[in-house]
Amino acid sequence: MFTANEYIKVKSFDEAYELNQKRTNKIVAGNMMLRLSHRKLNKAIDLSGLEADYILETESEFKIGCMCTLRDLEKNEAFAKCFGPDISEALGHIVGVQFRNSATVGGSIFGRFGFSDVLTYFLVLDTYVNLYKDGIVPLSEYAASDYDNDVIMEIIVNKDGRKAYYESFRLTDTDFPVISAAVGVHKKGRFFAIGARPAKARVIYADYSEFPEKLSPNEIASLAEYVSESFNYGTNIRAGAGYRKHIAKVLTERLLKKTGCEKP
Amino acid sequence: MKIRLKINGKDFAPHIYPSMILLDLLRDLGFKSVKRGCGTTNCGLCTIIMDNKSVLSCSVPAARADGKEIYTLEGFQDKAAEIAEFLADEGADQCGFCAPGFVMNVIALEKENPNPTEKEIDEYLVGNLCRCTGYMSQHRAMARYFAHKQKEA
Ligand SMILES: Cc1cc2nc3c(=O)[nH]c(=O)nc-3n(C[C@H](O)[C@H](O)[C@H](O)COP(=O)(O)OP(=O)(O)OC[C@H]3O[C@@H](n4cnc5c(N)ncnc54)[C@H](O)[C@@H]3O)c2cc1C
Ligand code: FES
Ligand code: FES
């Protein structure tokens, strides 16, 4: 656990941002990842008093406050109705319920972890990160950027008709994924994200002009091959690069079938 | 710094240090049912209930418990004894090391969803590691416990 000279429950994002400019201060969200560090902090910046744990639906979007827990999102019926039930598949294997009752959406997105189910899932939707200083940026851009001292206030997901489908492969149920895979089905084409390669997730797009809406079994296999070939893979303690690539293809094929794209 | 919280229905106003963890505070206050297993949010042994939700006290900053209502196993002695009978009947309490966290999580499940399916029981209990039982006996015990509760209702 880190040590801190002061623990400050901030009253505004303004205060959080100001304090977060000092390298010796750090934001505490769910504290699940942060507690593993042994850093000596001057100030721990607690966001829990900002009422930023909301999930708000408007006509055009969902706004998810940075302090919304993974469990609250997983159980949110309106979100699942809009983007499909696989939100619980994406979040439901992350350790246990007690863990997800504390871990936050903001902390998960800020981390941009290679193993992140959260990042892989949100990349196939039309997702934006609302930052205190830099404003609203697309998640794909944020995911590729370096860590800085800005503060995530909320995540915004546009309701553009997309549905998200999710699968992961784990050696044991609550471990980090060996591969995480998601497909976002849009009216013009499909978005594919593969994460835990073990590098962090990226997203690619395949238009229906290239790979049509309805596919034969052979076409599904070749689209899955195309997707798995579009990413690079590495080796770590959980799996080798070659095996990861194979599993990416298997999961993509399963996901495509789940989307109901098979020709009758 | 000083915080105020309710533990098992009683008011407390302890002094804490800024990076104190709730697990240490609870043990310092005498709630020794709350145990440190992994200390890294993996095993579920330190499970408590905070504002009606099960959380891992090894990761909750004590400062965040200010104004909260907390329950530990000491606050559920009768319920714990009842659940323990089902565990014993199915051979699901072997060395017993995992039991405090496990029982707390069962209580949290019952609060959230008193009529869980077998899948929902598994989903909930996956966060409690047990090195002895292989989980099947724990699963049977909980399936029987919830079936019994539904008959009672
Ligand atoms: C044992 C373990 C297993 C895990 N397994 C998985 C897994 O299988 N899949 C998966 O997807 N994830 C997994 N995770 C990651 C987890 O889901 C969370 O993403 C992680 O704990 C961070 O969320 P948090 O709320 O706890 O953030 P914290 O730990 O509090 O913070 C993490 C970092 O983000 C910064 N931060 C937090 N909130 C903000 C904000 N609003 N603005 C700017 N910076 C911020 C903090 O300063 C810190 O640097 C695991 C983590 C652990 C510890
Ligand atoms: S001691 Fe808290 S999860 Fe293991
Ligand atoms: S009974 Fe021994 S760890 Fe669970």
Side-chain angles (χ1 to χ4, degrees):
Chain A
M1 178 69 181
F2 62 84
T3 56
N5 296 326
E6 265 186 87
Y7 189 97
I8 300 177
K9 276 194 184 163
V10 290
K11 303 252 176 346
S12 64
F13 279 110
D14 192 29
E15 189 186 356
Y17 178 80
E18 288 308 321
L19 289 171
N20 203 35
Q21 298 317 297
K22 275 238 159 91
R23 280 190 52 205
T24 48
N25 300 344
K26 202 104 186 96
I27 287 176
V28 186
N31 196 36
M32 313 309 275
M33 211 63 178
L34 203 59
R35 71 142 351 271
L36 300 177
S37 96
H38 296 288
R39 283 181 59 174
K40 284 197 170 96
L41 300 180
N42 185 25
K43 292 176 177 140
I45 312 163
D46 183 345
L47 305 184
S48 67
L50 297 182
E51 296 187 354
D53 55 354
Y54 54 85
I55 300 175
L56 279 179
E57 182 179 11
T58 70
E59 215 155 85
S60 57
E61 62 198 10
F62 269 84
K63 289 182 170 187
I64 305 165
C66 62
M67 291 298 282
C68 171
T69 67
L70 298 183
R71 178 71 175 165
D72 281 348
L73 181 58
E74 169 192 350
K75 300 299 278 181
N76 189 276
E77 288 176 9
F79 190 91
K81 192 167 171 222
C82 186
F83 300 110
D86 272 14
I87 180 67
S88 63
E89 183 58 33
L91 304 182
H93 298 279
I94 302 176
V95 194
V97 171
Q98 308 102 305
F99 183 97
R100 301 196 297 281
N101 273 336
S102 291
T104 67
V105 173
S108 302
I109 295 292
F110 176 86
R112 286 159 273 188
F113 306 115
F115 55 76
S116 181
D117 294 283
V118 187
L119 187 60
T120 309
Y121 175 85
F122 276 113
L123 276 173
V124 299
L125 292 172
D126 192 23
T127 310
Y128 299 81
V129 182
N130 191 359
L131 297 162
Y132 178 83
K133 177 164 169 284
D134 283 353
I136 297 173
V137 296
L139 177 63
S140 52
E141 206 175 283
Y142 185 75
S145 67
D146 293 333
Y147 294 114
D148 68 7
N149 296 339
D150 213 339
V151 180
I152 297 178
M153 298 192 294
E154 62 184 2
I155 308 299
I156 300 169
V157 191
N158 274 335
K159 289 157 74 170
D160 67 350
R162 250 181 260 190
K163 297 270 183 225
Y165 299 83
Y166 192 87
E167 290 276 336
S168 65
F169 176 81
R170 292 166 140 86
L171 298 178
T172 56
D173 196 34
T174 57
D175 193 11
F176 292 144
V178 164
I179 279 286
S180 57
V183 180
V185 179
H186 186 245
K187 55 181 179 295
K188 290 186 180 154
R190 300 177 181 91
F191 294 82
F192 294 92
I194 306 285
R197 296 173 285 112
K200 68 185 160 198
R202 274 196 305 110
V203 64
I204 60 162
Y205 175 68
D207 201 86
Y208 287 146
S209 58
E210 252 180 295
F211 293 98
E213 217 169 335
K214 290 287 172 195
L215 300 165
S216 68
N218 279 346
E219 286 167 334
I220 289 178
S222 57
L223 176 52
E225 176 94 34
Y226 166 79
V227 171
S228 69
E229 290 285 347
S230 302
F231 295 90
N232 46 24
Y233 303 85
T235 295
N236 68 3
I237 188 173
R238 288 185 175 75
Y243 188 59
R244 278 200 157 88
K245 188 172 175 183
H246 174 73
I247 293 295
K249 179 172 180 289
V250 171
L251 294 189
T252 306
E253 208 167 326
R254 282 184 198 160
L255 278 171
L256 284 166
K257 288 182 182 157
K258 211 183 200 182
T259 67
C261 71
E262 275 179 283
K263 273 184 188 157
Chain B
M1 60 200 280
K2 191 173 175 173
I3 61 166
R4 290 175 195 283
L5 71 168
K6 251 194 171 80
I7 307 171
N8 302 328
K10 276 198 188 148
D11 291 320
F12 288 82
H15 284 278
I16 59 164
Y17 54 89
S19 54
M20 191 176 199
I21 277 295
L22 186 55
L23 167 80
D24 293 325
L25 173 65
L26 291 170
R27 287 185 63 83
D28 284 359
L29 292 173
F31 300 99
K32 301 284 191 204
S33 73
V34 190
K35 297 195 166 49
R36 176 179 276 107
C38 63
T40 58
T41 70
N42 278 288
C43 72
L45 186 59
C46 63
T47 301
I48 56 148
I49 295 177
M50 185 161 88
D51 283 357
N52 275 322
K53 288 184 174 169
S54 59
V55 294
L56 302 168
S57 62
C58 73
S59 71
V60 178
R64 201 169 274 176
D66 192 21
K68 305 274 184 196
E69 188 153 11
I70 283 170
Y71 281 93
T72 68
L73 201 56
E74 284 86 350
F76 292 115
Q77 287 302 292
D78 293 345
K79 174 76 64 200
E82 188 185 2
I83 294 171
E85 276 184 32
F86 284 85
L87 291 172
D89 288 356
E90 294 297 330
D93 203 7
Q94 294 183 21
C95 80
F97 186 72
C98 63
F102 181 86
V103 171
M104 284 307 287
N105 213 19
V106 172
I107 294 169
L109 167 60
E110 195 175 353
K111 277 177 183 288
E112 184 183 312
N113 178 4
N115 195 2
T117 61
E118 300 226 342
K119 187 165 173 264
E120 284 165 342
I121 293 176
D122 286 349
E123 252 168 37
Y124 227 92
L125 300 181
V126 86
N128 291 80
L129 300 186
C130 172
R131 295 293 86 175
C132 303
T133 63
Y135 304 107
M136 290 313 292
S137 52
Q138 291 184 334
H139 173 90
R140 284 195 308 273
M142 286 313 100
R144 284 196 51 234
Y145 170 73
F146 282 106
H148 168 75
K149 284 277 140 196
Q150 276 136 43
K151 257 192 222 151
E152 263 186 359

